[in-house]
């Protein structure tokens, strides 16, 4: 009766986002499906933008192969940066390696050196005029939201960092600071862990019934819905993802995930197991304790939900470190969580960098469990730190180089559209991006042509503008890395079908880029690019493509397009990946487990499997004296 | 014992207006086809409080048709579980918002204590709905390990149109014990509430529509067992019938199912549940727990002390108007039950059991009975065998645990049992050895959303509550496909 006594007033309404039509049942990530549909060329909305983009890209396509701005653009970009922005960039680059603790190792010149010398062939003269002044470099739209929370959230209070230091979080559309955020470090992590420890060891949270916890999670979901647009705007501003994607898909999905986990809180069952001898054996599933969670910048709120939802449903307390690129939305929603009745200390949020705050959390002796989503290289470090400290169990959701296999009997138009979405969605910044598209030789040319046409129609621009499908990349580092990979693709002999360059001279916009004739040994076919670069490879038969698809250190996801039931079943079993999507991709329902084989990580998020990450198993054995039966 | 049976109804408490008295079919309140009505009476004084549409076979046909249509072609079974869950969450919110009114209706109709309705029964109702709202998206099939070159998996699909026939003792709780898991599973349904207590069911049907439940998914047909109830149990287009009530009527329901379309049946029937109080028990705790047990076995070492204490505590047990907040016990539900209970008391006396306390009606009007305790009861006495369904307890003495197990199991029923002991070995042994669907150790009548409830033996089959209850409303479909060239099994 927790709900009644706590006087929690549930007011669910079928809001414009919360409930979509019957399509949700069929297409599991209904919101994303919705989003996808509204950006098809047939959509009347954004037709004007589409037309403009088509013009831009068709002129780009008329200039064969690679075009680029001279690298002076980049130099100029670097030079106009404010000093704090430069410092922040340096810090971000640092964060790419947790073990590299020396700030001196990084300097602004790094970004120039990436593009130095003859890095990109092609000439500025080949660039159509229209492209450099593309829609992407319009005056940025003023985001309809204010930044109200920039401090650390410890024990239910917003507080400055122990050092008093802050760092700027940047607008990916411009590279300019949005806000200065408290920079958490070892001491702040210690304080947060103490708060979480206290909340776990003595606080009300783990002692509540599952049903009482579920009521708070449900109420949080209601508050997310109420503040949908505000949260979405903040997410877009900090991350650069299209506002419509944030507002219509991601924030509603955050609410959906919270409701899903709310429903689990009172349904966590252990087994009573049979004994060989007269013993009564109970298996209890208990919360593991203080969970440290480190989340990435590509889907800040969804990663928040994947981590926080199951941990709290199971009764744990949390210290969450957000990505330094995107600290803002987690602070806002965590405040709402406290409004929903979350006790102090249960969820602590530390903004900061990997080598400092992240490393402190991973190596903390009083953190009972660690969950990390990010790159495989950083995942290794996190696992090492856990091993070197208190052997805390670690779940990792890491990188991928996920194959998509298009058979010759597939619906090619559908496969083109879905493979396009699978790669370009979220600016290509998805761990499960379909970044190796294997197409059967009989349909290869058609597929490449149609993929090119689709990429040319992709609407790139200010993510706050209606109808935009693709915003800027997250930051300078990623932006440079992607352009570097594009150069590598060209250098290694792949055919640049379309794109290949940045858009505009401000912000981190990159053209939707496609390579054909990609070979397995090329760097672009082996390494995670994390950007809008699609690689299309050719194959002849099923066994060959299975073998090639599995020849990777990753195993996060795979896509298969075929109408052949037996082929589908063969692929389903043979592909070494945590998710196999057949005739679809990126279907992310709350109940579908997600995670990696091989070096894509371990553990599963979402679904019932995710609960295991946050539960200890206790077997209780006691003799039975003369029971009637066993 | 104090009696306030004749005191006036609730001091200054406004009796609820009765808004819904017709059948609820396909989203509308309608008269019975026959135009007939029956009287619903206030158990405090036997006065008529409303005339309720008397549903019969024709009305059941209409309700089944609506439910069939809603199942075969409607949105409900085709929604995702999460969408159903959202509507159910809204339904729970509405029940919570109307708690006061529902509690008062229940009090008026069933004679149940207003304060308990408000703080327990009605909150249980909305909590159950929230529980199953969260379960709607957690109905999993399994992928299977087959021995040949096959891929196999199971789907758990809604069973179809469900008929629920529910009793009068916990009207709103029983309504949602049945309706909530069936809704979560994606079924459509008709509910026949007991003729004694139709009011909250009709009110809840109204709330369901407000919550956004599509028309035809939940229908309520008020009426009698012999007519409306029988029509549901024998209907060729009802896929499942779930019944809570007496063992005798449960048998009729199952027979009707067997003679018609072999519809799947679940029964939650009577009990003669034992409470076993061991020598080492906390005697005050035992006193509280035994209140709910109809066969109370007390170990000889504490028997005399226990008898003395229980007789003492009965003196402070207040019987009276259920609207009064300090009353412990209201009236029996109707004249029929009232007379039946008194007949059992007489029978007990004639068989030679000793009246420790109570033993007669209380007050001049209404269906109030004194809390009655018999001692010197033997297993072969009728009062130790039959379900009395009234405030009559049989106290019995036992020596050894073996004996207690044997005597506790010496019944055709197996619904529940209580154990009061501080000894872990006794607790474990008794809980394994007693043939009953739920064992409460050092507690009693603790109903929980997540905790299955249902009977062994002739107390029925199938379980309410918990994830188990979903099983009653789901079909299992196995799907088998050859699989070629799989690198592993």
């Amino acid at each position: 009766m927790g709900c009644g006594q706590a006087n929690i007033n549930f007011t669910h309404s079928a809001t414009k986002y919360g409930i979509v039509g019957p399509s949700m049942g069929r297409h599991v990530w209904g919101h994303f499906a919705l989003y996808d549909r509204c950006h098809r060329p047939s959509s009347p909305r954004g037709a004007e933008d589409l037309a403009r983009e088509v013009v831009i890209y068709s002129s780009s396509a008329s200039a064969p192969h690679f075009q680029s701005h001279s690298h002076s653009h980049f130099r100029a970009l670097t030079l106009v940066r404010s000093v704090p922005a430069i410092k922040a960039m340096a810090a971000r680059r640092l964060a790419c390696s947790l073990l590299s603790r020396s700030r001196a190792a990084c300097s602004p010149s790094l970004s120039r050196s990436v593009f130095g010398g003859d890095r990109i062939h092609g000439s500025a003269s080949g660039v159509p005029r229209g492209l450099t002044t593309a829609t992407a470099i319009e005056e940025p739209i003023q985001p309809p939201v204010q930044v109200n929370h920039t401090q650390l959230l410890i024990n239910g209070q917003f507080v400055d960092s122990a050092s008093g230091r802050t760092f700027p979080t940047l607008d990916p559309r411009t590279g300019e600071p949005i806000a200065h955020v408290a920079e958490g470090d070892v001491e702040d992590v210690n304080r947060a862990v103490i708060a979480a420890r206290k909340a776990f060891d003595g606080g009300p949270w783990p002692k509540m019934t599952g049903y009482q916890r579920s009521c708070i999670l449900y109420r949080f979901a209601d508050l997310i819905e109420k503040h949908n647009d505000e949260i979405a705007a903040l997410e877009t501003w900090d991350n650069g993802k299209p506002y419509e994607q944030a507002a219509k898909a991601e924030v509603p999905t955050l609410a959906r995930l919270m409701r899903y986990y709310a429903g689990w809180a009172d349904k966590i069952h252990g087994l009573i197991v049979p004994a060989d001898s007269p013993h009564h054996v109970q298996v209890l599933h208990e919360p593991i304790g203080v969970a440290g969670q480190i989340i990435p910048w590509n889907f800040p709120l969804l990663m928040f939900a994947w981590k926080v939802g199951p941990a709290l449903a199971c009764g744990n307390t949390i210290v969450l470190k957000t990505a330094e690129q995107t600290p803002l939305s987690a602070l806002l929603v965590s405040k709402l969580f406290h409004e929903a009745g979350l006790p102090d200390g249960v969820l602590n949020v530390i903004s900061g960098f990997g080598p400092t705050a992240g490393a402190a959390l991973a190596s903390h002796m009083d953190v009972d469990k660690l969950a990390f989503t990010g790159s495989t290289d950083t995942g290794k470090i996190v696992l090492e730190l856990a091993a070197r400290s208190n052997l805390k169990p670690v779940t990792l959701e890491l990188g991928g180089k996920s194959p998509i296999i298009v058979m010759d009997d597939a619906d090619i138009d559908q496969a083109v559209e879905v493979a396009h979405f699978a790669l370009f969605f979220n600016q290509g910044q998805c761990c499960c991006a379909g970044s190796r598209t294997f197409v059967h030789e009989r349909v290869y040319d058609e597929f490449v042509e149609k993929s090119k046409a689709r990429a040319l129609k992709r609407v790139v621009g200010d993510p706050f503008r209606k109808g935009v499908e693709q915003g800027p990349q997250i930051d300078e580092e990623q932006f440079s890395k992607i352009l570097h990979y594009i150069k590598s693709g060209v250098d290694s002999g792949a055919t640049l079908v379309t794109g290949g360059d940045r858009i505009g001279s401000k912000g981190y916009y990159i053209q939707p880029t496609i390579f054909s004739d990609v070979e397995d040994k090329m760097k672009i076919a082996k390494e995670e690019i994390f950007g809008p670069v699609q690689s299309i490879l050719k194959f002849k038969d099923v066994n060959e493509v299975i073998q090639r698809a599995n020849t990777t250190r990753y195993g996060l996801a795979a896509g298969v397009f075929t109408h052949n039931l037996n082929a589908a079943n063969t692929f389903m079993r043979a592909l070494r990946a945590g998710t196999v999507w057949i005739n679809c991709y990126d279907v992310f329902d709350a109940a579908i487990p997600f995670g990696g084989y091989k070096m894509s990580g371990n553990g599963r998020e979402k679904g019932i499997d995710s609960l295991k990450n946050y539960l200890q198993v206790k077997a209780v054995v006691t003799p039975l004296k003369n029971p009637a039966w066993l | 014992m104090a009696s306030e049976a004749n005191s006036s109804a609730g001091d200054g408490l406004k009796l609820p207006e009765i808004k819904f008295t017709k059948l609820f079919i396909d989203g509308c309140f309608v008269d019975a086809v026959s135009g007939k009505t029956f009287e619903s009476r206030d158990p405090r004084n036997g006065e008529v409080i409303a005339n309720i549409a008397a549903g019969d076979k024709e009305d059941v046909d209409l309700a089944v048709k609506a439910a069939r249509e809603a199942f075969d072609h409607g949105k409900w079974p085709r929604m995702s579980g999460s969408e159903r869950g959202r509507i159910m969450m809204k339904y729970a919110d509405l029940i919570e918002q109307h708690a006061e009114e529902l509690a008062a209706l229940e009090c008026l109709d069933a004679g149940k204590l207003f304060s308990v309705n408000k703080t327990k029964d009605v909150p249980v109702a909305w909590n159950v709905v929230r529980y199953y709202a969260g379960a709607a998206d957690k109905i999993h099939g399994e992928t299977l390990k087959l021995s040949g070159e096959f891929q196999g998996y199971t789907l758990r699909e809604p069973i179809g149109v469900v008929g629920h026939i529910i009793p009068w003792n916990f009207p709103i709780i029983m309504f949602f014990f049945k309706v909530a898991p069936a809704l979560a599973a994606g079924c459509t349904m008709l509910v026949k509430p007991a003729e004694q207590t139709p009011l909250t069911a009709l009110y809840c049907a109204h709330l369901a529509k407000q919550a956004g439940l599509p028309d035809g998914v939940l229908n309520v047909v008020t009426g009698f067992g012999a007519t409306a109830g029988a029509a549901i149990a024998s209907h060729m287009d009802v896929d499942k019938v779930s019944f809570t009530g007496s063992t005798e009527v449960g048998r009729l329901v199952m027979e009707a199912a067997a003679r018609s379309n072999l519809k799947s049946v679940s029964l939650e029937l009577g009990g003669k549940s034992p409470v076993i109080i061991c020598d080492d028990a906390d005697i005050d705790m035992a006193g509280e727990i035994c209140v709910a047990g109809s066969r109370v076995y007390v170990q000889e070492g504490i028997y005399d002390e226990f008898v003395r204490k229980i007789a003492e505590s009965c003196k402070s047990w207040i019987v009276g108007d259920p609207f009064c907040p300090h009353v412990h016990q209201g009236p029996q539900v109707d004249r029929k039950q009232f007379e039946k209970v008194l007949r059992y008391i007489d029978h007990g006396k004639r068989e030679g059991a000793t009246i420790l306390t109570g033993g007669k009606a209380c007050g001049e009007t209404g269906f109030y009975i004194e809390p009655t305790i018999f001692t010197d009861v033997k297993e072969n006495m009728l009062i130790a065998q039959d379900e009395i369904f009234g405030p009559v307890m049989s106290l019995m003495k036992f020596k050894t645990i073996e004996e207690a197990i044997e005597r506790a199991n010496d019944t055709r029923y197996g619904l529940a049992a209580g154990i009061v002991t501080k000894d872990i070995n006794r607790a474990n042994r008794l809980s394994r050895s007693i043939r009953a669907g739920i064992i409460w150790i050092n507690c009693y009548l603790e109903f929980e959303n997540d905790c299955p409830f249902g009977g062994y033996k002739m107390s029925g089959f199938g379980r309410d509550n918990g994830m188990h209850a979903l099983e009653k409303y789901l079909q299992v479909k196995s799907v088998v496909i050859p699989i070629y060239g799989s690198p592993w099994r």
Side-chain angles (χ1 to χ4, degrees):
Chain A
M1 253 136 282
C3 270
Q5 285 170 358
N7 236 349
I8 291 170
N9 181 23
F10 283 81
T11 47
H12 292 301
S13 54
T15 71
K16 51 189 169 169
Y17 305 123
I19 295 182
V20 296
S23 69
M24 194 159 176
R26 293 194 300 275
H27 202 297
V28 189
W29 203 340
H31 302 298
F32 280 3
L34 205 66
Y35 166 76
D36 184 28
R37 275 199 299 283
C38 78
H39 289 90
R40 298 268 167 87
S42 61
S43 167
R45 179 175 292 180
E48 201 185 314
D49 304 325
L50 276 172
R52 186 163 30 182
E53 296 295 329
V54 169
V55 170
I56 291 163
Y57 286 118
S58 54
S59 58
S60 141
S62 68
H65 294 295
F66 211 69
Q67 308 108 16
S68 168
H69 313 290
S70 70
H71 74 261
S72 63
H73 280 94
F74 294 96
R75 191 173 294 133
L77 190 75
T78 308
L79 292 175
V80 297
R81 265 177 206 291
S82 60
V83 173
I86 291 170
K87 273 164 76 179
M89 275 161 33
R92 285 177 190 189
R93 280 190 294 274
L94 248 182
C96 67
S97 165
L98 271 172
L99 288 184
S100 160
R101 303 294 294 269
S102 158
R103 290 199 173 219
C106 256
S107 76
S109 67
L110 184 67
S111 67
R112 282 201 301 279
S113 71
V114 168
F115 298 95
D118 59 349
R119 63 194 174 83
I120 294 174
H121 60 79
S123 69
S125 64
V127 181
R129 277 287 124 207
L131 185 63
T132 53
T133 54
T135 49
I137 54 161
E138 294 167 346
E139 264 313 294
I141 294 166
Q142 182 59 37
V145 64
Q146 295 212 322
V147 179
N148 293 325
H149 306 290
T150 56
Q151 292 169 294
L152 311 176
L153 180 56
I154 298 177
N155 203 27
Q157 305 293 317
F158 280 109
V159 294
D160 288 326
S161 62
S163 67
R165 278 209 307 268
T166 63
F167 65 96
T169 183
L170 306 183
D171 182 342
R173 300 175 301 166
T174 60
E176 301 298 329
I178 299 169
H180 293 268
V181 176
E183 184 182 334
D185 206 327
V186 177
E187 176 55 25
D188 305 287
V189 168
N190 287 342
R191 290 176 187 179
V193 172
I194 287 169
R197 191 80 258 164
K198 200 171 137 233
F200 185 78
D201 293 341
W205 186 249
K207 293 173 188 64
M208 280 185 194
T209 65
Y211 184 66
Q212 287 172 318
R213 286 199 296 274
S214 85
C215 288
I216 291 171
L217 293 175
Y218 275 126
R219 216 168 82 146
F220 176 45
D222 291 345
L223 287 175
I224 294 164
E225 234 160 43
K226 196 171 144 200
H227 294 269
N228 186 85
D229 294 358
E230 182 189 353
I231 299 167
L234 200 57
E235 188 82 329
T236 289
W237 198 3
D238 216 9
N239 171 280
K241 64 178 65 215
Y243 174 73
E244 287 176 325
Q245 174 187 327
K248 292 182 183 170
E250 295 188 20
V251 180
T253 302
L254 168 66
R256 162 73 185 114
L257 284 158
M258 285 302 156
R259 291 202 173 94
Y260 177 78
Y261 286 114
W264 271 129
D266 57 0
K267 299 174 186 70
I268 295 169
H269 297 156
L271 297 171
I272 301 300
V273 299
D276 294 340
S277 50
H279 286 92
H280 173 51
V281 186
Q282 310 174 61
V283 179
L284 304 181
H285 289 186
E286 299 180 337
I288 201 162
V290 174
Q293 304 181 322
I294 303 174
I295 59 173
W297 47 260
N298 57 343
F299 294 98
L301 287 173
L302 294 184
M303 294 303 109
F304 175 94
W306 288 16
K307 298 277 187 283
V308 168
L312 293 187
C314 296
N316 298 276
T317 62
I318 295 171
V319 178
L320 175 84
K321 190 198 89 65
T322 51
E324 64 273 19
Q325 294 88 342
T326 54
L328 298 179
S329 58
L331 294 171
L332 172 58
V333 299
S334 298
K335 179 184 155 271
L336 295 178
F337 219 151
H338 285 80
E339 274 176 35
L342 194 71
D344 292 345
V346 173
L347 172 61
N348 305 277
V349 183
I350 301 288
S351 316
F353 295 87
T356 51
L361 198 53
S363 53
H364 205 289
M365 291 301 286
D366 245 359
V367 170
D368 300 307
K369 192 254 160 8
L370 198 84
F372 170 80
T373 294
S375 73
T376 293
D377 293 339
T378 309
K380 281 182 174 175
I381 295 164
V382 166
L383 193 57
E384 268 185 52
L385 292 176
R388 284 186 195 154
S389 53
N390 62 344
L391 301 172
K392 56 180 78 63
V394 178
T395 46
L396 301 170
E397 201 269 88
L398 307 175
K401 194 72 189 173
S402 299
I404 289 181
I405 297 168
V406 181
M407 295 286 282
D408 54 351
D409 70 332
D411 176 338
I412 297 301
D413 290 340
Q414 190 228 0
V416 166
E417 182 59 36
V418 177
H420 174 84
F421 185 78
L423 188 284
F424 292 102
F425 174 60
N426 205 45
Q427 293 72 246
Q429 300 167 149
C430 300
C431 47
C432 60
S435 52
R436 289 184 295 150
T437 306
F438 291 95
V439 181
H440 194 279
E441 59 179 4
R442 274 199 285 275
V443 292
Y444 187 83
D445 293 342
E446 181 192 356
F447 188 95
V448 170
E449 263 321 294
K450 287 182 168 170
S451 294
K452 176 184 172 185
R454 178 63 185 90
L456 289 173
K457 285 179 191 153
R458 188 164 188 81
V459 186
V460 186
D462 189 319
F464 280 104
R465 189 153 50 81
K466 258 195 169 150
V468 160
E469 293 175 281
Q470 182 179 318
Q473 307 307 122
I474 186 71
D475 66 5
E476 173 94 29
E477 184 194 329
Q478 289 293 322
F479 175 78
S480 307
K481 191 178 122 191
I482 294 160
L483 291 175
H484 210 60
Y485 274 116
I486 291 173
K487 177 181 180 301
S488 154
V490 172
D491 290 347
S492 60
T495 305
L496 182 69
V497 176
T498 183
D501 202 353
R502 76 179 302 178
I503 298 176
S505 57
K506 197 178 177 191
Y508 310 123
Y509 296 92
I510 293 181
Q511 292 175 348
T513 298
I514 298 178
F515 283 105
S516 65
D517 305 316
V518 177
E519 284 168 25
D520 295 354
K521 63 180 190 312
M522 293 177 183
K523 215 166 147 182
I524 57 168
K526 279 161 51 176
E527 295 178 16
E528 187 175 39
I529 299 174
F530 232 62
V533 182
Q534 187 176 25
S535 294
I536 308 182
L537 305 89
K538 196 185 283 185
F539 76 92
K540 270 186 190 161
D541 73 55
V542 169
N543 288 336
E544 169 213 337
V545 78
I546 286 170
Q547 193 254 319
R548 290 171 64 195
N550 282 338
T551 305
T552 166
R553 64 171 181 157
Y554 294 114
L556 195 54
V560 173
F561 289 85
T562 180
H563 290 312
N564 183 320
L565 177 61
N566 288 333
N569 283 337
T570 301
F571 283 124
M572 170 181 90
R573 291 287 186 104
L575 292 169
R576 301 282 279 163
T579 303
V580 178
W581 283 293
I582 301 174
N583 296 327
C584 60
Y585 206 87
D586 278 348
V587 178
F588 279 102
D589 199 68
I592 304 176
F594 181 83
Y597 277 46
K598 297 193 267 184
M599 287 178 76
S600 289
N602 57 52
R604 292 293 180 271
E605 299 191 284
K606 299 189 290 120
I608 190 171
D609 295 273
S610 66
L611 301 176
K612 289 180 203 157
N613 300 336
Y614 297 100
L615 293 169
Q616 276 286 17
V617 176
K618 179 186 282 176
V620 182
V621 186
T622 184
L624 282 172
K625 305 287 186 200
N626 301 314
W629 33 76
L630 286 175
Chain B
M1 85 206 56
S3 169
E4 299 188 354
N6 294 326
S7 68
S8 67
D11 309 312
L13 193 111
K14 196 165 155 271
L15 290 179
E17 183 196 344
I18 296 168
K19 296 174 185 157
F20 307 106
T21 58
K22 298 182 181 183
L23 314 177
F24 186 76
I25 296 176
D26 206 13
C28 300
F29 283 101
V30 294
D31 288 319
V33 173
S34 67
K36 284 186 193 156
T37 62
F38 64 94
E39 292 165 343
S40 187
R41 289 177 184 268
D42 184 338
R44 295 175 305 162
N45 49 30
E47 284 170 14
V48 176
I49 49 172
N51 289 299
I52 308 289
D56 205 331
K57 187 172 179 312
E58 296 77 22
D59 306 289
V60 167
D61 285 344
L62 289 174
V64 171
K65 201 176 156 211
R68 190 83 256 164
E69 177 65 21
F71 186 79
D72 291 346
H73 304 292
K75 280 190 295 185
W76 190 250
R78 286 156 197 89
M79 281 181 187
S80 67
S82 67
E83 287 174 280
R84 287 201 296 274
R86 289 304 303 280
I87 292 173
M88 292 176 69
M89 283 299 286
K90 185 149 183 228
Y91 196 5
D93 293 345
L94 287 170
I95 299 163
E96 188 171 0
Q97 283 159 27
H98 294 84
E100 183 100 9
E101 206 171 344
L102 286 164
L105 276 179
E106 194 89 323
C107 182
L108 193 61
D109 212 13
K112 291 167 64 70
L113 302 181
F114 176 75
S115 58
V116 174
N117 290 339
K118 203 178 142 190
T119 56
K120 200 136 191 184
D121 290 37
V122 180
V124 164
W126 80 62
N127 289 340
V128 161
V129 176
R130 284 207 184 108
Y131 175 87
Y132 286 109
D137 57 2
K138 296 172 182 70
I139 297 168
H140 298 118
E142 292 174 309
T143 52
L144 308 172
K145 283 283 178 206
L146 303 185
S147 57
E149 276 196 309
F150 294 100
Q151 161 81 1
Y153 59 88
T154 56
L155 299 174
R156 289 162 83 215
E157 300 177 338
I159 199 165
V161 174
V162 180
H164 302 291
I165 303 173
I166 59 172
W168 46 260
N169 58 341
F170 295 94
I172 194 169
I173 292 181
M174 288 301 156
F175 184 88
F176 286 109
F177 275 14
K178 304 292 184 198
V179 164
L183 287 177
C187 294
T188 63
M189 62 206 72
L190 60 159
V191 182
K192 192 198 87 61
E195 63 272 18
Q196 295 90 339
T197 54
L199 297 180
T200 47
L202 292 172
Y203 197 97
C204 290
H206 157 72
L207 294 180
K209 180 155 177 138
Q210 284 196 334
L213 205 66
D215 291 347
V217 172
L218 172 62
N219 306 276
V220 177
V221 178
T222 49
F224 294 86
T227 51
I232 293 170
S234 57
H235 205 289
M236 292 300 287
D237 243 0
V238 170
D239 300 304
K240 195 240 155 56
V241 62
S242 77
F243 171 80
T244 294
S246 71
T247 295
E248 288 67 29
V249 178
R251 195 193 299 277
L252 295 177
V253 167
M254 195 167 165
E255 271 183 42
R259 284 188 193 145
S260 55
N261 61 343
L262 299 172
K263 61 178 69 63
S264 129
V265 178
S266 59
L267 302 172
E268 200 267 88
L269 307 175
K272 193 72 189 176
S273 299
V275 174
I276 298 172
I277 299 168
C278 301
D279 276 342
D280 67 336
D282 176 330
I283 203 154
D284 293 327
M285 178 195 276
E288 283 165 33
I289 286 169
C290 74
V291 166
S294 52
R295 288 187 293 148
V296 178
Y297 292 93
V298 184
Q299 202 159 9
E300 56 182 4
I302 57 163
Y303 183 83
D304 294 340
E305 190 192 354
F306 184 81
V307 167
R308 190 174 51 75
K309 281 220 170 189
I310 195 84
E312 191 85 4
S313 70
C314 259
K315 286 179 188 153
S316 56
W317 190 255
I318 302 168
V319 180
D321 190 314
F323 275 105
C324 294
H326 56 282
V327 157
H328 293 103
Q329 182 185 316
Q332 307 308 119
V333 71
D334 62 8
R335 177 165 300 282
K336 193 177 150 202
Q337 287 295 322
F338 172 75
E339 288 171 353
K340 189 177 145 195
V341 174
L342 290 177
R343 273 202 307 277
Y344 272 116
I345 292 174
D346 280 346
H347 209 280
K349 289 178 191 164
R350 283 204 307 275
E351 280 181 312
T354 307
I355 292 259
L356 176 69
T357 175
K360 54 185 191 298
C362 102
E364 299 301 314
T365 57
F367 311 128
Y368 296 90
I369 295 177
E370 292 175 349
T372 299
I373 300 176
F374 281 106
T375 55
D376 303 319
V377 181
K378 303 271 180 292
E379 262 77 21
N380 58 2
M381 292 179 184
L382 206 60
I383 56 167
Q385 287 180 352
D386 283 10
E387 184 176 49
I388 299 175
F389 233 59
V392 181
M393 182 203 292
S394 297
L395 269 185
M396 288 169 274
K397 198 192 285 187
F398 74 93
K399 277 188 181 161
T400 66
I401 298 295
E402 287 75 14
E403 179 199 342
I405 292 168
E406 196 174 312
R407 290 170 67 187
N409 282 337
D410 185 13
T411 167
R412 60 179 177 145
Y413 294 113
L415 194 56
I419 298 167
V420 190
T421 180
K422 290 175 190 157
D423 184 288
I424 187 174
N425 289 328
R426 270 187 206 158
N428 282 336
R429 183 179 176 197
L430 284 165
S431 57
R432 292 271 175 144
S433 303
I434 292 172
R435 302 280 278 164
I438 190 160
I439 311 280
W440 285 294
I441 303 173
N442 296 333
C443 59
Y444 207 78
L445 290 184
E446 289 300 329
F447 287 95
E448 286 277 338
N449 292 336
D450 201 33
C451 185
F453 180 78
Y456 276 45
K457 299 195 265 182
M458 287 176 71
S459 289
F461 46 85
R463 293 292 179 270
D464 285 333
N465 285 9
M467 298 301 272
H468 277 274
L470 293 169
E471 303 301 333
K472 298 198 292 192
Y473 307 111
L474 294 167
Q475 283 277 22
V476 176
K477 179 185 282 176
S478 296
V479 182
V480 182
I481 316 165
I483 189 150
Y484 302 110
S486 172
W488 33 76
R489 299 273 173 97

